[in-house]
Amino acid sequence: MKRESVSSMTKRVKGSCTTVLVGKKASIDGSTIISRNDDGHEALDPQRFVVVQPEDQPRNYQAVISGVKVELPDNPMRYTSMPNSILTNGIWPAAGINSENIAMSATETITTNPRIQGIDPYVGGGIGEEDLVTLVLPYIHSAKEGVERLGALLKQYGTYEPNGIAFSDQDDVWWLETIGGHHWAAVRIPDDAYVVAPNRMNIDDFDFDSADTLCSDDLQALIEDNHLNPDFEGYNLRHIFGSSSIKDTVYNNPRAWYGQKYFTPEVEQDPMDQDLPFICHANRKISIEDVKFVLSSHFENTKYDPYGDGTEAEKTLIRPIGINRNHNVHILQIRNGVPAEIAGVHWLAYGANTFNTVVPFYSNVNDTPACYKDATGTFDMNNMYWLSCATALLGDTDYNFYVDFRNTFELQAMSAYHGIQNETDKAVADQSDVQKFLEAANEKLAEESFTRQTKLFGDMVISGSEKMKLRYNLND
């Protein structure tokens, strides 16, 4: 999650994002997918989509929030990044794909409890969400290596907050959760599985002897020596280190419930259940459109939908996934069955997710389209971030009136993006300069997206003007 402006560590605000992870056998095309709504405390926080070149990567990094100094290696790779436009509180890169097609999304703010905090308290001068992509993504050659590098940094520097971080490559998806100031645990997501992770400790059953788990060297001993396990058998890390609070029942658990309800509708569950499963299996193969729907959702077809027919108490009881505090949604896809030059796709949209579409930008490029790159803190309808925010705001004034405009726009826009992507994929083998060719494809995608988003906004303004309250029916 992105946070409001902070002038000191004591003013940090916690709690926001939603993550969806998909293994390669669970996706429709055999790709791995890690995705997240990058939400914040404030409704607006302008975002940019950039490429960081090796020569622009810092060698002596210093965080703004904690002041931690980290000396970085001399061999960084190129990577896509999504920094804040206003850098008062640091870069906050959010997510990206590096030149070896390794993806990272950081972070999902999670929960903790006082038992672990009393043993391994947070480190005020440690690393946090502001820093992690910059410190890890340019240096890793596999998803597992990402877990190992971040784990070593946590051991050395500590962290001042609890976070969940996703990594992926063509074969693997890994999920790491920080525990206390210096500890952590990570799970390789099974190839045939998916995960919906809200702002809570998400890892449940954990096998310390499995090849598909990694953790701090002393984590099992820490649990045993300090009597942290409330269960009679096994190790459920959510029970051991998580919160299980009343807030979780209305802020976190329902988001996992709705995502699982969408992907696995035959399983009946309680939206407030503290023990909703971490690893899940869908009743079909999952598409990019499926992931985007979940990350845009607001409990459609339930009494909890803020735009629905429930009572006012029901409509405001639980926190939606799609919300006014969505600053960007990124879906990082590492494809199989295509040349490595086009395997990484950084799908992206800005603003509240109810009235936008994700665009499939190729990550193997040296630059990004201006309308996605150049947002500032000044409102500007020529920039995709501000155009998306304006469209969502207008749509919120009468969702049921505007939703058909949105549905038509989304269908037609996604069809156009897939068409451009299919043409680009087929032609890439004939190109002498692949990166320039992909940059041109990204420009075409951005132009298509911006044109269609502008048309959607215009259609909504024209049609909505007839419904304004400031009108009188008797003609002069």
Side-chain angles (χ1 to χ4, degrees), residues 32-325:
T32 60
I33 297 171
I34 62 174
S35 62
R36 182 168 59 91
N37 282 344
D38 192 23
D39 303 342
H41 181 68
E42 300 290 352
L44 297 175
D45 190 357
Q47 311 281 290
R48 303 173 62 229
F49 176 48
V50 303
V51 175
V52 180
Q53 298 291 348
E55 59 268 26
D56 298 323
Q57 172 73 1
R59 299 308 194 269
N60 297 291
Y61 177 85
Q62 182 170 3
V64 172
I65 291 178
S66 72
V68 66
K69 296 179 180 180
V70 181
E71 185 174 342
L72 294 173
D74 289 327
N75 58 340
M77 288 177 276
R78 184 194 73 242
Y79 61 102
T80 58
S81 176
M82 301 187 62
N84 280 358
S85 297
I86 302 169
L87 300 178
T88 306
N89 300 307
I91 301 170
W92 294 81
I97 301 174
N98 71 23
S99 57
E100 289 201 6
N101 293 324
I102 314 303
M104 178 181 180
S105 179
T107 70
E108 182 78 30
T109 303
I110 59 173
T111 58
T112 187
N113 65 53
R115 295 183 296 278
I116 181 59
Q117 285 299 293
I119 299 163
D120 184 13
Y122 291 134
V123 180
I127 58 177
E129 182 173 353
E130 172 199 343
D131 319 303
L132 299 187
V133 170
T134 304
L135 300 182
V136 176
L137 183 58
Y139 311 101
I140 58 175
H141 306 273
S142 70
K144 185 177 181 181
E145 189 176 330
V147 170
E148 293 168 338
R149 175 168 173 79
L150 179 53
L153 289 168
L154 290 167
K155 181 178 181 180
Q156 181 176 357
Y157 296 99
T159 183
Y160 54 79
E161 59 185 359
N163 283 317
I165 300 95
F167 299 93
S168 64
D169 54 37
Q170 285 186 304
D171 291 317
D172 298 335
V173 174
W174 280 84
W175 175 252
L176 179 150
E177 293 185 330
T178 65
I179 298 168
H182 297 87
H183 291 81
W184 57 276
V187 173
R188 181 187 178 276
I189 307 306
D191 292 340
D192 63 349
Y194 74 88
V195 166
V196 179
N199 302 118
R200 66 173 187 194
M201 187 85 190
N202 289 283
I203 298 173
D204 48 22
D205 295 332
F206 191 83
D207 183 354
F208 283 95
D209 297 321
S210 172
D212 292 330
T213 62
L214 293 167
C215 64
S216 308
D217 293 339
D218 63 339
L219 188 64
Q220 188 171 9
L222 179 143
I223 295 169
E224 297 295 349
D225 293 347
N226 293 281
H227 312 289
L228 297 178
N229 193 351
D231 297 326
F232 293 108
E233 295 181 357
Y235 296 90
N236 183 312
L237 298 193
R238 195 186 308 163
H239 292 173
I240 296 169
F241 300 116
S243 55
S244 192
S245 68
I246 296 300
K247 179 180 177 180
D248 288 327
T249 67
V250 294
Y251 194 83
N252 291 318
N253 304 343
R255 285 182 276 155
W257 164 77
Y258 192 77
Q260 293 174 15
K261 177 181 176 68
Y262 179 75
F263 289 129
T264 319
E266 64 273 17
V267 178
E268 294 288 336
Q269 299 179 128
D270 184 335
M272 294 188 180
D273 189 350
Q274 303 279 25
D275 285 317
L276 293 170
F278 173 56
I279 302 295
C280 300
H281 296 84
N283 69 348
R284 61 194 183 281
K285 294 183 178 180
I286 296 171
S287 68
I288 295 294
E289 288 82 359
D290 288 327
V291 174
K292 173 59 166 64
F293 173 81
V294 170
L295 291 174
S296 304
S297 61
H298 40 86
F299 307 117
E300 289 92 324
N301 294 331
T302 78
K303 62 186 178 181
Y304 306 113
D305 186 353
Y307 298 127
D309 298 323
T311 66
E312 286 305 309
E314 290 167 338
K315 291 193 292 184
T316 58
L317 178 63
I318 55 182
R319 189 267 207 207
I321 298 174
I323 199 169
N324 67 323
R325 296 183 281 109

Side-chain angles (χ1 to χ4, degrees), residues 423-442:
E423 292 173 0
T424 304
D425 285 356
K426 291 176 183 177
V428 75
D430 300 326
Q431 307 305 314
S432 58
D433 190 334
V434 171
Q435 288 183 327
K436 285 291 184 185
F437 178 67
L438 297 180
E439 286 169 16
N442 283 355

